[in-house]
Amino acid sequence: MRWQDIDQQPCSVARSLAIIGDNWTLLVLRDCFLGVRRFDDFQQRLGVTRHVLSDRLRKLTEGGILDKVAYQQRPVRHEYRLTSMGRDLYPVIVHLAQWGDQYLADDHGAPLTRIHKQCEHTLQAQLHCRHCGETVAAQDIRVEENAHWKGKILMNNQG
């Protein structure tokens, strides 16, 4: 299968990667969550070419992750705002950053600290079961195929 056809797979991870699955896109999302909205600000922070940035912002907009909103009429200028679909990616970004903080930080430690505003403590994001409230890890989860996809997916149900 070719990368450009990855969104055709019966797999939610593959379909998600079709929209957010490259390094520049994840860095654009990181910056969105840090409050960046304008093209020139993204380009300055990321050091990416205009062409690549334009392509990633277009892909995120077409994918429903960002809205392109005019903030000036003459000349017309736009900013990019996270949609509710985009804001729902926050846990993904936080967990990815937290993983990097734990395993990839240098001697100076993590570059950013996330503070929970309500209690003023450092955030330690965890996956919880919505039903019972328990913290869960990969070994605590069983994966089952949707009846519609039965037999169409190669899967290892061992977590």
Side-chain angles (χ1 to χ4, degrees):
M1 172 168 289
R2 296 184 332 216
W3 178 254
Q4 60 264 32
D5 300 326
I6 200 82
D7 64 334
Q8 302 303 308
Q9 284 196 348
C11 171
S12 295
V13 173
R15 290 175 180 176
S16 299
L17 288 174
I19 299 171
I20 65 167
D22 77 54
N23 51 356
W24 290 118
T25 302
L26 288 173
L27 292 174
V28 167
L29 285 171
R30 175 206 61 193
D31 282 1
C32 286
F33 286 113
L34 292 173
V36 178
R37 290 185 172 182
R38 297 184 179 171
F39 188 95
D40 290 339
D41 295 335
F42 283 115
Q43 189 178 27
Q44 182 180 1
R45 287 177 57 91
L46 297 171
V48 62
T49 67
R50 294 183 73 77
H51 171 75
V52 169
L53 179 58
S54 194
D55 179 64
R56 296 324 186 268
L57 289 169
R58 178 191 51 75
K59 209 171 181 184
L60 288 167
T61 302
E62 288 174 359
I65 307 295
L66 297 176
D67 277 333
K68 184 177 180 179
V69 179
Y71 68 88
Q72 177 180 308
Q73 292 305 319
R74 291 195 180 112
V76 177
R77 296 193 182 268
H78 296 91
E79 64 182 17
Y80 297 87
R81 297 181 185 167
L82 289 159
T83 63
S84 60
M85 185 179 176
R87 288 187 299 273
D88 284 346
L89 283 167
Y90 191 64
V92 175
I93 299 298
V94 168
H95 281 271
L96 185 60
Q98 193 168 285
W99 180 84
D101 291 347
Q102 180 174 347
Y103 294 106
L104 305 174
D106 62 17
D107 294 338
H108 300 291
L112 299 175
T113 301
R114 289 162 187 79
I115 308 295
H116 183 215
K117 289 179 184 178
Q118 196 161 357
C119 72
E120 292 296 319
H121 286 91
T122 302
L123 179 68
Q124 181 63 38
Q126 297 177 328
L127 184 62
H128 289 91
C129 175
R130 186 186 322 194
H131 177 74
C132 70
E134 294 240 350
T135 300
V136 293
Q139 65 270 18
D140 302 322
I141 299 170
R142 182 181 68 246
V143 177
E144 297 178 356
E145 287 179 308
N146 174 321
H148 173 78
W149 297 106
K150 204 82 166 159
K152 298 176 186 171
I153 302 171
L154 296 175
M155 185 177 355
N156 177 349
N157 281 338
Q158 297 177 14

